Amino acid sequence: MATDRQILLKYAAFLGATGVAAGAFGAHALRETLSKKPNGLENWRTAVMYQLIHATALLALSSVDLGSGQEDFMKDKPIGSNNNAASSFFINSGKLMFAGVTMFSGSIYGLCLDIGPKKVLGPTTPLGGLLMIGGWVYIGLGSMKM
């Protein structure tokens, strides 16, 4: 069974790989299609940028190990002090970010390509944005538990 950190690493790899692919696809194969829509290319780039930024954040979160208490930022605290609480916040922040970027970027991709109902995709974008913001807030809350 995969650990939470391994799951975040898999999320990061998935978002990173598909983000690079979406960026290349938009810049080359879809350039003409996206250019026909008002702000189509710009919207596509925004979706790719947020996806890649959050892939990087997930990669960083998957690397945080609060179990040993030996990290530089934890040296002045005893082993195990609030590590589980902070770790839980970091793991949950990663899950929020993954769900958020999937909704945010995914809905923009769909809107740019006229795939799916606009009545569903339109409201999905800001909801995804709120989940991404929530992920960053959880990082801040987790840091207060350290």
Side-chain angles (χ1 to χ4, degrees):
M1 183 174 199
T3 66
D4 286 332
R5 289 176 59 201
Q6 290 170 329
I7 290 169
L8 292 184
L9 183 58
K10 289 176 184 179
Y11 288 168
F14 174 78
L15 291 177
T18 57
V20 170
F25 199 52
H28 301 289
L30 294 176
R31 185 176 202 80
E32 188 176 320
T33 302
L34 295 172
S35 296
K36 291 177 184 175
K37 293 194 77 145
N39 301 317
L41 198 53
E42 182 180 335
N43 291 340
W44 190 272
R45 286 182 183 146
T46 298
V48 169
M49 179 186 67
Y50 275 84
Q51 184 172 340
L52 292 174
I53 287 170
H54 285 84
T56 306
L58 286 169
L59 182 62
L61 287 170
S62 75
S63 301
V64 174
D65 181 10
L66 297 176
S68 68
Q70 299 302 311
E71 294 76 25
D72 288 338
F73 57 87
M74 294 287 292
K75 282 188 178 174
D76 60 335
K77 297 202 174 189
I79 293 175
S81 68
N82 289 332
N83 290 354
N84 288 339
S87 181
S88 176
F89 273 98
F90 292 147
I91 296 301
N92 288 327
S93 72
K95 291 177 181 179
L96 282 171
M97 285 182 181
F98 180 74
V101 78
T102 300
M103 292 171 66
F104 179 85
S105 294
S107 63
I108 292 174
Y109 296 143
L111 289 167
C112 286
L113 298 175
D114 291 323
I115 298 172
K118 289 182 182 181
K119 286 185 177 184
V120 174
L121 292 177
T124 301
T125 307
L127 291 175
L130 286 173
L131 289 175
M132 289 188 292
I133 292 168
W136 289 103
V137 169
Y138 258 58
I139 291 174
L141 293 173
S143 71
M144 291 190 291
K145 299 287 183 184
M146 296 167 69

